[in-house]
Amino acid sequence: SYQRFTDCYKRFYQLQPEMTQRIYDKFITQLQTSIWEEISEIKQEGNLEAILNALDKIVEEGKDCKEPAWRPSGIPEEDLRGAMAPYLLQQRDALQRRVQKQEAENRQLADAVLAGRRQVEELQLQVQARQQAWQALHTEQRELVAVLREPE
């Protein structure tokens, strides 16, 4: 205030009150200009104008909201639980769906393996049958060759 300014420079004020008023006015003008320049520089450096506009937008959006805004309860465990529980439940559901999908795929693969094993067993039985048939044929062939060689 001008009163405080004159209190600091009493003698000068008493000798030249008009000059003191002009000095005070000049000082205030330069101080205001300097402050505005500093504020502008800070706003530019920190991108504060965009941030403040975003905050204004949030405040405007909040005016339309009828339910009360969330406030911390003062108990960090409860606040964290309240914030994290929906996310964790969502993750659990997603994991359960993935497990169910994987189990269904595993069942399909197990069925395919069992079918493959049955097919291998059938092929082994066919191989055994053909081997036995071949051995029987081979035995008959030897017997036939032996019978044909005897008259000589």
Side-chain angles (χ1 to χ4, degrees):
S1 74
Y2 181 68
Q3 181 61 41
R4 288 174 57 194
F5 185 79
T6 57
D7 287 345
C8 291
Y9 302 102
K10 278 186 186 180
R11 284 201 175 251
F12 186 70
Y13 173 69
Q14 289 170 352
L15 293 173
Q16 295 184 340
E18 294 148 5
M19 180 64 90
T20 307
Q21 180 67 42
R22 284 193 301 249
I23 291 173
Y24 173 77
D25 292 340
K26 183 75 171 175
F27 175 74
I28 292 298
T29 304
Q30 287 182 350
L31 183 62
Q32 287 175 341
T33 303
S34 174
I35 288 172
W36 280 113
E37 287 173 359
E38 289 278 330
I39 289 172
S40 296
E41 187 176 316
I42 290 171
K43 282 172 48 176
Q44 288 174 352
E45 285 179 7
N47 197 18
L48 290 181
E49 191 165 341
I51 292 170
L52 292 173
N53 288 338
L55 286 175
D56 288 342
K57 184 179 175 185
I58 290 170
V59 168
E60 287 300 318
E61 289 173 358
K63 288 180 181 177
D64 297 335
C65 186
K66 303 295 182 213
E67 56 190 55
W70 179 82
R71 299 285 187 264
S73 66
I75 303 169
E77 294 85 10
E78 287 182 13
D79 294 340
L80 184 61
R81 188 179 311 115
M84 293 298 292
Y87 172 76
L88 294 175
L89 290 173
Q90 180 184 17
Q91 292 299 311
R92 183 189 67 186
D93 293 343
L95 288 173
Q96 284 176 340
R97 284 191 303 274
R98 189 167 181 189
V99 165
Q100 289 171 351
K101 181 181 173 185
Q102 192 65 46
E103 286 174 345
E105 186 178 331
N106 287 349
R107 280 192 296 276
Q108 289 176 345
L109 291 173
D111 291 343
V113 166
L114 290 175
R117 284 182 182 168
R118 281 192 298 272
Q119 192 175 20
V120 166
E121 287 174 1
E122 289 173 10
L123 288 174
Q124 283 178 340
L125 291 174
Q126 287 177 3
V127 166
Q128 269 182 337
R130 287 183 183 176
Q131 184 181 11
Q132 289 171 355
W134 184 79
Q135 285 177 348
L137 185 64
H138 183 66
T139 305
E140 287 178 15
Q141 184 183 14
R142 278 190 182 176
E143 289 174 2
L144 184 61
V145 169
V147 168
L148 290 175
R149 281 193 186 172
E150 282 183 16
E152 286 182 30

